[in-house]
């Protein structure tokens, strides 16, 4: 087989350590490992990491974890890095997240239209160019709205957390 490291295919070594390779592929890889020191050392590191993860037990979450977290936010206490990381996800209520999803879909459509205009409009009439320009313009408007939403949301979330 080709050396996974030389072919920048270390995902195969990761899959092997995780026990996700089918038996045949695992046997072929093990034959390669016997003769390739570089792969053998990466595989050994991966296996050691998986063993460490298996041995690690997450500490139990205390029942009043949420209450204490919200109180700290309300007090304006400095947040740890993971609390700051989690904030943006809590701060977006579902009713605001849904239009975002729709906008993302619109942006994707606009991107596809711009990339492959031919496949969506086989015989582009002169006016279809104008339609696409409109769509781009409305997409730019949406982007602007998104940016404003981002700014408003970060200001608003401070207010929400205080309640
Ligand atoms: Zn190798």
């Amino acid at each position: 087989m080709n050396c996974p490291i030389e072919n920048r295919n270390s995902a195969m070594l990761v899959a092997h350590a995780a026990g996700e390779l089918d038996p045949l592929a695992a046997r072929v890889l093990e034959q390669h490992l016997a003769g390739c020191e570089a792969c053998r050392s990466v595989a050994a590191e991966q296996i050691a990491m998986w063993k460490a993860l298996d041995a690690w037990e997450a500490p139990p979450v205390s029942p009043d974890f949420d209450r204490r977290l919200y109180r700290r936010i309300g007090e304006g206490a400095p947040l740890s890095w993971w609390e700051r990381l989690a904030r943006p996800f809590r701060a977006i209520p579902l009713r605001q997240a849904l239009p975002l999803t729709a906008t993302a879909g619109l942006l994707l459509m606009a991107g596809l239209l711009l990339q492959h205009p031919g496949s969506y409009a086989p015989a582009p009439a002169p006016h279809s160019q104008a339609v696409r320009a409109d769509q781009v313009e409305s997409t730019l408007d949406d982007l602007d709205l998104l940016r404003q939403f981002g700014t408003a949301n970060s200001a608003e979330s401070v207010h929400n957390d205080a309640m």
Side-chain angles (χ1 to χ4, degrees):
M1 71 175 285
N2 294 324
C3 174
I5 296 228
E6 278 175 14
N7 288 282
R8 301 181 182 283
N9 185 19
S10 51
M12 191 180 191
L13 295 170
V14 175
H16 175 63
E20 286 170 357
L21 284 186
D22 64 72
L24 180 66
R27 204 161 56 232
V28 171
L29 181 64
E30 274 156 19
Q31 280 168 6
H32 174 79
L33 291 180
C36 179
E37 202 185 318
C39 286
R40 203 162 52 229
S41 86
V42 170
E45 280 169 20
Q46 285 296 324
I47 288 169
M49 190 194 74
W50 277 97
K51 279 188 179 152
L53 282 175
D54 281 345
W56 185 72
E57 280 179 30
V61 175
S62 66
D64 65 340
F65 175 83
D66 274 359
R67 191 180 55 76
R68 284 187 297 134
L69 177 63
Y70 279 86
R71 200 187 60 212
R72 283 186 59 196
I73 293 171
E75 287 167 352
L79 301 179
S80 64
W81 63 268
W82 59 268
E83 286 168 334
R84 279 198 295 270
L85 203 68
R87 276 176 72 133
F89 297 103
R90 275 192 311 103
I92 303 181
L94 191 59
R95 75 190 145 80
Q96 283 170 342
L98 282 178
L100 275 183
T101 315
T103 308
L106 197 70
L107 289 175
L108 189 68
M109 282 288 291
L112 287 174
L113 281 169
L114 288 171
Q115 267 187 333
H116 310 284
S119 57
Y120 291 89
H127 72 268
S128 74
Q129 203 69 36
V131 169
R132 247 175 277 143
D134 276 1
Q135 287 169 334
V136 172
E137 202 172 305
S138 83
T139 303
L140 289 176
D141 283 350
D142 286 338
L143 273 174
D144 204 40
L145 268 177
L146 263 178
R147 206 166 33 232
Q148 286 171 12
F149 169 75
T151 318
N153 191 55
S154 56
E156 191 189 25
S157 66
V158 174
H159 173 70
N160 283 347
D161 287 342
M163 298 196 304

